[in-house]
Amino acid sequence: MVLGRGVKKLDLVDMLLLAALVGLAIVWVAPIVWVIGLAFKPNDVLMRTTGGIFAPPFTGKNFRDILATSAVFGWMLNSFIVAIGQTFLTLAISTLAGYGFARTDFPGKRIAFILVIAGLAVPEQAIIVPLHTMFAEAHLHNTYFGLIAPRLAFPFGVFLMYQYFKGVPREIEEAAMLDNASRLKIFFRVVLPLTVPAQATLGIYTFLHAWNEYFWPLVSATKPEMYTLTIGLAATQTNFAQTEGIGFLMAQAVFAGLPILILYLFFQRHIVTAVAGGAGK
Amino acid sequence: MSAPSQARPVRVARRDADAVGRRTAWNALFIAPYMLAFLVLLVVPLGLGMWLSFQDYDMLAGYGGPVGWENYERLLGDRIFLGSVRNTIWFVIISVPAFVGLGLFLALLLNDDSRKSSFFRSIFFGSSVLSVTIVTLVWRLVYMPDRGLLQNIAGMFGLTAPNFMTTEALALPGIAIVTVWWIIGLPMMLFLAALQQIPKEVYEAAALDNASRWRVLVSITLPAIRRTIVLVAVIEVILQFQLFGQANLITNGGPNNASRPIVMFIYEAGFRDWMLGYAAAASQILFVLMLGAAMLQMWIGRQKDGG
Amino acid sequence: MTITKLTSALAAGAIVAGALATSGAALAQQKTEISFARFFGACDADYGTSQDYQKARGECGVMTTLVNHFNATNKDNIVVKPQIIEWGPYYQQLTARIAARDVPTIAVMHTSQIGDFVRSRIVEPIEDDLKAAGIDINDFTPHAKAGVTLNGKVHALPWDTHSWLWHINVGMFKQAGLVDAAGAPIVPKTVDELMQQAKLIKEKTGKPYFVMASVAAGDAGNGARSFWTMMYTQNASIFKDGNFDKADFNSPEAKNAFEVFERLSKEGYITKGTDGAGALGGFIGGNGAVLLTGTWRIDDMIAAAAKPESGLKEYTARIFPNLFKQDAVWADNHSWVMLRGGTNPQTRKAAQIFMKYLWDHNFDWARGGGHLPIRNSLMAEYAKLPERPNVMRITEIGRSLPHDVRRQFGFQSLIGEEVNNIINGNKLAAQAMKDAQERADQLLSRR
């Protein structure tokens, strides 16, 4: 199995490895199953015991309550707006900049490029305190722009696109140049269509990161209406006793996790390639 | 990948070999939107943060003027900060080998095109797409002392499950387990990508030689993906140095500060106590620690490269 | 001249714009929206649309239905938008909102926290607002009045007085023979009596004497309130001679208090590693004789004891008893404040109207939430509610830290965390005292 590629019959080592794999898979799946089970149990029962989640009584009340009242829809909408906005803008400016650095020449390019590459080493936490102050002065907290913008500065996307453009044969463009097409035209007509795979990688990466971002929205979205899913869920979970019950919370978690899991199953192949490709460069 | 720049004639000074077309300032417009974001949202705050770290700036009490190295001196005497540095380093030490080891183990087992492997890959990668709050919500229910999943399972055997949330020595390992569960997908995928780069012929030759699987692993596979191992280790060190959400939501840094990481300290100093200068100083220390750790690792990787 | 012209032109423009806006919304009248930052939990599933505050139970239920009722019935087109934060991170969040220039119109605040907010000039006096709203300051109970008064000025509208109780499972006390002839539980008068009772409960029922949550950030309050109560009953404080810049945890009284927890923990007389839901569920399930929590759980417990399947067979509440020298108990107040920069003239007026509504419904809060009302005129009626006679003395013996003590939230956290460390077996009392001292010094070393 490890390296045998189906040449041999299963031997003892194979059996042990398979057992380990199945055991691990159970560890990975069990908490999710458990939580889904809890989501279908009445809250007052869970108050007493959480044993026997597969035995009745069951209830759909927790999900009905969510549909009727929970703020989770608003949070989800905010998350989508922020994640899509951030993905779109990151793709746009990273592609332009990646192309600019890889394929064009202009005064000051070297120094700009060195600066940007050095920026790769800066972690978000190193700038979050002053950034918060700056955004407060500009009254940008609790706005979509305020949630989207900070991430645009990080050079990962530019670097990725730069690498990609470096691999595109320059002859394609030089041919277009000879036709006297304008630089912008070449970029949009000739170069851009070639970058779709890299765009997908960067897009998926950015989307997932934005969707799961925790620290910045925690300090920037202070108005409950502006909470993203991550922050909204966090705000309800630090003390189970004060909320509407474990079953309701779990239903909320299931509900909130569902869209992204469905997206994942749907785009699995792309996501996997994107993630492996993105960090592998 | 990029060709060295000596390929171009000398008279076009410092001209980029890969560039196409004329060297003109107009081309800078391509990078202008990004550079604007980069300067305003990264360079300026970075400089501001360094400046802040030398100021007495308390959001609520107001600006108290420059204080030199005082914030740093106070940090070095702050038991909670030092504890958070210790916790963070300890967390990196226990979690990174788990990421590398388990990620590699899974990748080795799942490196084929069978449906079984693809099914397992989905399971192990799937949890990575969940947000940290969902993951912590789930795991708090697992760890819950009296009615959690662990206790329910242990109870079946008449045992008492260890309490990860309230036992000092178990708090960080508990968070490490959650973190591995959450994002083992990335290292697994990186290893899989690397394994697929190894030419099949190499293995076929080994099969002819009747080499044991262990020997194949040690003498062919591992050397072939050595660079990826270093890469994964560096990525994970950088990621795990930034531990925050899990600790904040599962243990709140407790018990007795046993699981408070540096980022959580920064969060609390900056956004709970509003001591911005102090928090900025802690940020600089984190920055330096992360740079140092990453460089050390790359250096180690290079040493092995040479040998 | 030109300036006047310009102003009048602008004014005319504004009027036209205003007219357009009103005519545009011809049917919908102009609404004033005010934001209302609070804890007390979210319970939309049960009370999301209900206005029946007289039937609502628990803090969350009453609060939610009151706001619903106000929004539906007020004549001034005011819409109160609740912004619910959990109480553990509440103050952190409130400060974050102020830092993010997102200031709520009205916010709930413990009177123990007001000092810090007044010192940083975020909370200002509101006597004029109360007068404009028609709220009579002289009707405030003494404890509440002291709580909201700083530098001789009222800075908040008090909402309740709450305090620290023993919620008792009388059935378990009976099992251990700890009841008097009338069947009422016998409450210990000294630490030794407490330990004897705990030993009996453990022998007869196999369960711990105390149930208390000691895990989450918000649970720090539990340890801290118990600690303060044991200090007050010894007539002691960690601040000596009015010096509020230096805390002292090395007194014999502080040692006594910490050691009570050490003994309870060592003997297994208190639950370990329990979170809030676990503590409530455990007590209701009969897994402990005394739940350590506040007045706010009285009605929940009465309701829980009424259920036939409950392990809480018979319930009563008592003020956290005096185990030392004098009758005293930790007490705090919830109050409503308006923060600097959170209002314009229009929302300020609306806030006054809503505050008057709250003032008029103070009794409903006390009835459903368990707290003591803050109006002298409501006390007699309050005493008629179930279990309330047992807690009436809180207004007399309730004690709080002086407003001059800085960073009271920080003190609550550090004391509570150290107490919880003892309970969960991570530390002994001596070490906890030492650590508390160091953390307190650090806390007060800041401006």
Side-chain angles (χ1 to χ4, degrees):
Chain A
M1 200 167 111
V2 175
L3 305 160
R5 303 229 162 143
V7 183
K8 294 174 286 184
K9 273 203 249 169
L10 284 184
D11 61 11
L12 182 67
V13 180
D14 279 324
M15 308 264 271
L16 284 176
L17 289 173
L18 186 64
L21 194 61
V22 171
L24 280 170
I26 291 174
V27 173
W28 252 254
V29 173
I32 306 259
V33 173
W34 156 259
V35 159
I36 295 175
L38 291 179
F40 287 100
K41 301 287 282 184
N43 285 314
D44 52 333
V45 171
L46 294 180
M47 196 81 172
R48 290 196 304 276
T49 173
T50 53
I53 52 161
F54 298 115
F58 299 114
T59 177
K61 182 178 182 297
N62 295 322
F63 287 96
R64 278 200 303 280
D65 286 346
I66 288 179
L67 294 179
T69 60
S70 171
V72 76
F73 290 104
W75 304 335
M76 223 180 256
L77 182 69
N78 289 341
S79 279
F80 264 111
I81 292 173
V82 171
I84 288 173
Q86 200 171 84
T87 306
F88 179 77
L89 287 172
T90 302
L91 285 181
I93 65 175
S94 304
T95 310
L96 282 171
Y99 180 76
F101 281 128
R103 273 292 184 267
T104 73
D105 204 4
F106 51 86
K109 188 177 106 167
R110 272 176 78 94
I111 184 92
F113 190 65
I114 290 169
L115 207 62
V116 169
I117 292 302
L120 277 172
V122 179
E124 177 194 16
Q125 296 82 13
I127 58 169
I128 199 160
V129 172
L131 202 63
H132 184 275
T133 315
M134 286 167 59
F135 274 49
E137 292 302 327
H139 291 265
L140 284 174
H141 289 302
N142 290 303
T143 64
Y144 289 123
F145 179 81
L147 287 170
I148 290 170
R151 199 70 212 168
L152 301 181
F154 288 87
F156 173 71
V158 176
F159 185 65
L160 193 78
M161 295 313 290
Y162 168 82
Q163 292 274 27
Y164 189 83
F165 281 117
K166 280 280 178 193
V168 174
R170 37 202 296 270
E171 287 73 23
I172 300 175
E173 276 169 85
E174 281 172 341
M177 276 278 172
L178 293 178
D179 291 345
N180 239 347
S182 81
R183 190 92 219 198
L184 268 181
K185 212 171 192 175
I186 294 175
F187 176 74
F188 282 107
R189 291 273 169 77
V190 182
V191 181
L192 207 54
L194 294 174
T195 63
V196 171
Q199 301 266 6
T201 297
L202 181 57
I204 289 170
Y205 222 82
T206 313
F207 186 90
L208 279 180
H209 191 281
W211 184 264
N212 292 336
E213 174 83 297
Y214 178 66
F215 199 168
W216 179 252
L218 181 66
V219 295
S220 183
T222 54
K223 236 190 200 118
E225 308 76 293
M226 286 305 295
Y227 283 172
T228 58
L229 198 53
T230 317
I231 302 313
L233 282 179
T236 61
Q237 69 169 269
T238 53
N239 192 342
F240 293 148
Q242 277 193 1
T243 55
E244 323 198 20
I246 288 173
F248 181 83
L249 270 180
M250 292 305 115
Q252 206 164 261
V254 170
F255 200 78
L258 222 51
I260 196 84
L261 273 179
I262 290 172
L263 274 181
Y264 165 63
L265 290 176
F266 210 68
F267 291 111
Q268 197 177 349
R269 200 162 282 269
H270 302 278
I271 291 177
V272 163
T273 345
V275 169
K281 285 280 172 181
Chain B
M1 189 167 272
S2 63
S5 52
Q6 78 264 14
R8 279 273 144 181
V10 200
R11 57 194 150 91
V12 192
R14 281 161 64 206
R15 173 73 199 263
D16 188 329
D18 277 348
V20 173
R22 282 191 311 127
R23 173 185 165 97
T24 153
W26 288 106
N27 286 334
L29 285 178
F30 278 109
I31 67 160
Y34 173 74
M35 288 312 282
L36 183 71
F38 179 73
L39 291 174
V40 175
L41 299 171
L42 201 134
V43 177
V44 170
L46 191 65
L48 199 58
M50 285 173 186
W51 176 80
L52 260 181
S53 71
F54 295 102
Q55 314 297 317
D56 171 14
Y57 190 16
D58 184 316
M59 253 288 300
L60 300 179
Y63 177 54
V67 289
W69 290 91
E70 195 191 300
N71 286 325
Y72 290 93
E73 282 160 14
R74 270 177 61 201
L75 278 172
L76 294 182
D78 186 333
R79 215 163 43 89
I80 294 187
F81 176 71
L82 295 178
S84 77
V85 173
R86 215 169 28 242
N87 291 337
T88 309
I89 293 175
W90 178 233
F91 183 75
V92 169
I93 290 175
I94 58 178
S95 67
V96 172
F99 275 110
V100 175
L102 191 60
L104 185 58
F105 178 72
L106 291 174
L108 286 170
L109 288 185
L110 301 174
N111 182 29
D112 58 55
D113 296 329
S114 67
R115 297 185 63 152
K116 181 198 75 196
S117 291
S118 128
F119 171 75
F120 279 116
R121 282 199 300 265
S122 311
I123 289 182
F124 292 116
F125 188 81
S127 48
S128 315
V129 301
L130 296 173
S131 72
V132 64
T133 24
I134 294 179
V135 171
T136 53
L137 202 51
V138 168
W139 277 87
R140 280 174 45 139
L141 264 285
V142 173
Y143 285 159
M144 199 160 57
D146 45 349
R147 289 155 305 151
L149 178 61
L150 265 188
Q151 180 51 43
N152 273 309
I153 293 170
M156 283 190 236
F157 302 100
L159 302 169
T160 309
N163 194 338
F164 285 98
M165 278 147 74
T166 56
T167 315
E168 274 184 51
L170 292 181
L172 274 179
I175 293 171
I177 291 172
V178 177
T179 312
V180 169
W181 183 89
W182 179 28
I183 44 176
I184 191 67
L186 176 66
M188 178 180 80
M189 286 303 165
L190 293 176
F191 283 128
L192 276 169
L195 288 175
Q196 268 151 26
Q197 307 276 315
I198 305 176
K200 275 193 185 136
E201 295 74 35
V202 185
Y203 289 120
E204 279 156 14
L208 286 180
D209 287 354
N210 245 342
S212 75
R213 272 192 294 201
W214 180 250
R215 267 203 63 91
V216 172
L217 177 70
V218 172
S219 54
I220 300 180
T221 313
L222 289 185
I225 59 167
R226 193 190 55 234
R227 284 168 63 91
T228 308
I229 297 176
V230 175
L231 175 78
V232 168
V234 172
I235 290 178
E236 290 301 332
V237 166
I238 290 172
L239 280 179
Q240 303 319 323
F241 248 108
Q242 305 180 33
L243 167 69
F244 175 44
Q246 304 94 294
N248 198 30
L249 292 166
I250 295 181
T251 59
N252 192 41
N256 196 23
N257 304 315
S259 64
R260 176 173 281 100
I262 305 179
V263 177
M264 189 170 160
F265 180 90
I266 295 171
Y267 170 68
E268 290 177 338
F271 302 100
R272 182 189 67 190
D273 304 333
W274 299 100
M275 303 180 299
L276 301 185
Y278 199 51
S283 304
Q284 309 308 319
I285 294 181
L286 172 70
F287 188 11
V288 170
L289 279 175
M290 283 174 65
L291 269 184
M295 273 152 73
L296 181 71
Q297 267 190 313
M298 285 196 251
W299 182 74
I300 293 172
R302 203 158 294 161
Q303 293 303 100
K304 280 187 189 152
D305 250 5
Chain C
M1 255 354 223
T2 26
I3 290 176
T4 343
K5 260 186 198 160
L6 189 67
T7 339
S8 54
L10 278 178
I15 290 166
V16 172
L20 283 175
T22 22
S23 66
L27 289 174
Q29 284 164 297
Q30 213 177 344
K31 290 197 188 298
T32 309
E33 206 170 87
I34 58 176
S35 52
F36 182 55
R38 64 165 180 88
F39 35 81
F40 304 128
C43 46
D44 284 346
D46 294 329
Y47 295 102
T49 54
S50 169
Q51 298 174 29
D52 195 353
Y53 54 81
Q54 293 187 325
K55 285 228 184 73
R57 213 179 49 232
E59 289 177 302
C60 186
V62 177
M63 203 67 242
T64 307
T65 48
L66 278 177
V67 170
N68 288 344
H69 180 254
F70 176 80
N71 281 342
T73 58
N74 82 81
K75 304 266 186 302
D76 303 274
N77 277 307
I78 298 166
V79 179
V80 175
K81 283 194 73 180
Q83 295 173 326
I84 303 161
I85 315 291
E86 274 182 70
W87 100 263
Y90 175 79
Y91 289 102
Q92 195 172 333
Q93 181 71 6
L94 189 65
T95 334
R97 295 185 61 172
I98 294 161
R101 312 282 196 273
D102 162 36
V103 187
T105 319
I106 298 181
V108 68
M109 191 169 280
H110 289 97
T111 52
S112 57
Q113 305 302 318
I114 285 185
D116 281 338
F117 283 89
V118 170
R119 274 184 289 276
S120 48
R121 295 184 301 278
I122 291 168
V123 168
E124 291 168 336
I126 58 162
E127 283 181 10
D128 294 342
D129 296 282
L130 297 179
K131 194 175 282 172
I135 292 168
D136 181 11
I137 292 174
N138 296 319
D139 198 15
F140 291 179
T141 58
H143 189 270
K145 184 156 192 179
V148 295
T149 307
L150 281 97
N151 315 321
K153 286 249 186 329
V154 173
H155 282 71
L157 172 67
W159 180 230
D160 63 50
T161 298
H162 53 271
S163 181
W164 204 229
L165 305 183
W166 284 19
H167 299 262
I168 298 174
N169 184 331
V170 184
M172 289 177 77
F173 267 60
K174 278 187 178 153
Q175 240 177 304
L178 295 173
V179 287
D180 61 16
I186 300 167
V187 175
K189 293 188 184 62
T190 64
V191 176
D192 288 333
E193 269 182 50
L194 165 67
M195 296 299 162
Q196 276 162 15
Q197 285 203 352
K199 188 159 178 274
L200 268 173
I201 291 278
K202 184 119 204 179
E203 281 169 9
K204 300 284 182 196
T205 69
K207 299 285 161 48
Y209 190 76
F210 286 122
V211 180
M212 189 183 108
S214 55
V215 181
D219 298 339
N222 300 342
R225 293 166 194 139
S226 306
F227 173 83
W228 288 126
T229 301
M230 287 197 265
M231 292 298 279
Y232 295 139
T233 50
Q234 297 179 79
N235 197 21
S237 169
I238 57 169
F239 298 100
K240 302 267 161 68
D241 314 318
N243 177 5
F244 299 115
D245 289 325
K246 172 79 186 138
D248 178 17
F249 282 95
N250 291 316
S251 61
E253 290 91 350
K255 186 162 181 277
N256 288 340
F258 277 123
E259 279 178 351
V260 169
F261 295 106
E262 186 181 300
R263 285 175 71 181
L264 291 172
S265 170
K266 219 180 250 168
E267 303 287 345
Y269 294 157
I270 187 163
T271 51
K272 292 178 188 180
T274 309
D275 61 8
L280 274 181
F283 179 66
I284 292 169
N287 291 326
V290 176
L291 174 66
L292 286 175
T293 189
T295 43
W296 50 92
R297 287 291 178 199
I298 292 179
D299 287 84
D300 292 336
M301 290 306 132
I302 293 173
K307 288 190 183 159
E309 78 274 15
S310 174
L312 175 56
K313 288 306 172 204
E314 204 181 312
Y315 164 76
T316 191
R318 292 285 186 277
I319 297 174
F320 193 109
N322 163 22
L323 302 171
F324 296 97
K325 268 196 343 225
Q326 61 176 27
D327 286 354
V329 65
W330 167 90
D332 201 344
N333 315 280
H334 291 126
S335 70
W336 304 110
V337 295
M338 287 194 260
L339 305 166
R340 187 162 53 104
T343 53
N344 59 37
Q346 195 190 1
T347 54
R348 191 147 195 116
K349 181 79 189 119
Q352 290 167 2
I353 294 168
F354 181 55
M355 280 193 167
K356 177 66 163 60
Y357 174 88
L358 289 172
W359 171 253
D360 291 339
H361 290 82
N362 189 234
F363 186 76
D364 297 299
W365 177 248
R367 179 198 54 74
H371 304 298
L372 283 88
I374 44 78
R375 298 179 61 173
N376 291 321
S377 51
L378 299 174
M379 281 303 174
E381 197 168 344
Y382 179 76
K384 292 178 194 154
L385 294 170
E387 294 301 328
R388 301 314 196 275
N390 297 331
V391 302
M392 290 298 285
R393 281 194 71 213
I394 288 169
T395 45
E396 245 175 89
I397 62 172
R399 303 249 306 246
S400 313
L401 285 178
H403 285 304
D404 291 330
V405 176
R406 290 180 295 136
R407 303 202 184 255
Q408 293 197 16
F409 198 79
F411 270 104
Q412 171 173 294
S413 299
L414 83 88
I415 293 169
E417 282 165 20
E418 293 303 340
V419 167
N420 290 349
N421 279 332
I422 299 175
I423 290 173
N424 292 322
N426 288 322
K427 265 184 205 176
L428 291 178
Q431 185 64 39
M433 283 166 67
K434 211 172 132 242
D435 293 346
Q437 183 65 52
E438 199 181 316
R439 290 174 68 179
D441 290 344
Q442 185 122 29
L443 191 66
L444 289 177
S445 73
R446 300 176 201 153
R447 279 187 296 148

